Amino acid sequence: MPVRTRVAALAALTATALAVGAAATTQAGAAPGETVQKNAAAKSASAPKKAAAPRFLAASELPPHPTGWTAGPVSDGFPEQLAYCLGEGVPAYDYRHRLFHTELDTSAVQVTVVTGSAAKGKALADRLNKEIRACAARLERLYPEIEAEGRFFGTLPVEEGATVHGLHTETSYGATDVNLLSVGRDGRTVTVVGWGQMGDFDDAPLAAFKKTAKKAVTKLY
């Protein structure tokens, strides 16, 4: 999926400074430099503060694993590791993600996005949940050699809520994989956590993953 990059536009600060300086020279009893400094301070005090970026899970906050987890850097873009279930089904936003891996076959990923409003955040979370619920049927339709089963593991009482899903796949040549996924929301911010390894539902650490999914939402801000 192509990465959408946000490009920031700079204001015409030079023109503004010249205008402020000209106005300062007309004020009796005040030095031009002093007036410019006062105006700049006033603007700085009234300017809206930039919202803090959402925080990501640490390796120690994932379901325990015998070899431990290693966390990668936080990167821009939607991770290809979730494309098997979401792919082109996710709306275009400025996503950020972090990958995690163990020394064996277990891996995990978290993706987070800040939408424009709480209503847009809810719409995105609903869309992601819908895509995940349809994932098993979609995989079987696209890949005849795969048998897939999806399960819904309920909701979590955290902020605006989180949902937990499971997916098991088995290929015609015998390979089996199990994945757990969660979608959580805090206001206009949505986060998805994915965990996967070889095996079936009996091998999935559901209780521990629910704790991770809840932590992913509470840790955002």
Side-chain angles (χ1 to χ4, degrees):
M1 174 172 289
V3 178
R4 290 172 57 87
T5 304
R6 187 173 297 160
V7 180
L10 295 178
L13 296 178
T14 303
T16 302
L18 289 174
V20 171
T25 60
T26 64
Q27 298 184 28
E34 179 183 352
T35 305
V36 170
Q37 290 176 358
K38 288 181 179 179
N39 283 332
K43 287 186 177 182
S44 177
S46 62
K49 294 182 178 179
K50 185 178 180 180
R55 293 181 296 166
F56 281 74
L57 290 167
S60 60
E61 294 165 330
L62 293 172
H65 191 275
T67 70
W69 289 92
T70 298
V74 175
S75 304
D76 292 334
F78 193 88
E80 62 180 12
Q81 285 76 8
L82 290 177
Y84 69 94
C85 241
L86 297 174
E88 295 297 326
V90 294
Y93 277 111
D94 294 325
Y95 298 93
R96 304 180 76 216
H97 68 275
R98 168 175 269 181
L99 303 180
F100 305 84
H101 68 271
T102 66
E103 294 181 12
L104 298 177
D105 65 329
T106 308
S107 61
V109 58
Q110 181 184 10
V111 59
T112 296
V113 58
V114 181
T115 67
S117 66
K120 290 182 178 180
K122 181 180 184 304
L124 176 60
D126 291 344
R127 173 70 176 273
L128 295 174
N129 278 305
K130 181 180 179 181
E131 293 290 333
I132 293 173
R133 287 195 299 269
C135 182
R138 186 166 57 250
L139 286 176
E140 288 188 338
R141 184 174 67 253
L142 295 175
Y143 307 101
E145 72 278 11
I146 290 180
E147 291 185 4
E149 178 189 358
R151 293 184 184 180
F152 178 63
F153 291 118
T155 61
L156 301 175
V158 54
E159 299 300 340
E160 275 67 58
T163 54
V164 179
H165 308 262
L167 176 72
H168 175 254
T169 60
E170 183 173 358
T171 67
S172 58
Y173 51 86
T176 62
D177 291 279
V178 61
N179 291 271
L180 297 175
L181 300 109
S182 69
V183 180
R185 183 171 70 92
D186 183 354
R188 63 179 183 148
T189 303
V190 177
T191 189
V192 178
V193 180
W195 172 98
Q197 70 174 30
M198 294 176 61
D200 54 31
F201 284 119
D202 291 336
D203 302 309
L206 182 58
F209 181 80
K210 286 184 175 181
K211 291 181 180 179
T212 294
K214 190 172 183 179
K215 182 67 175 181
V217 179
T218 60
K219 190 177 182 179
L220 288 171
Y221 299 105

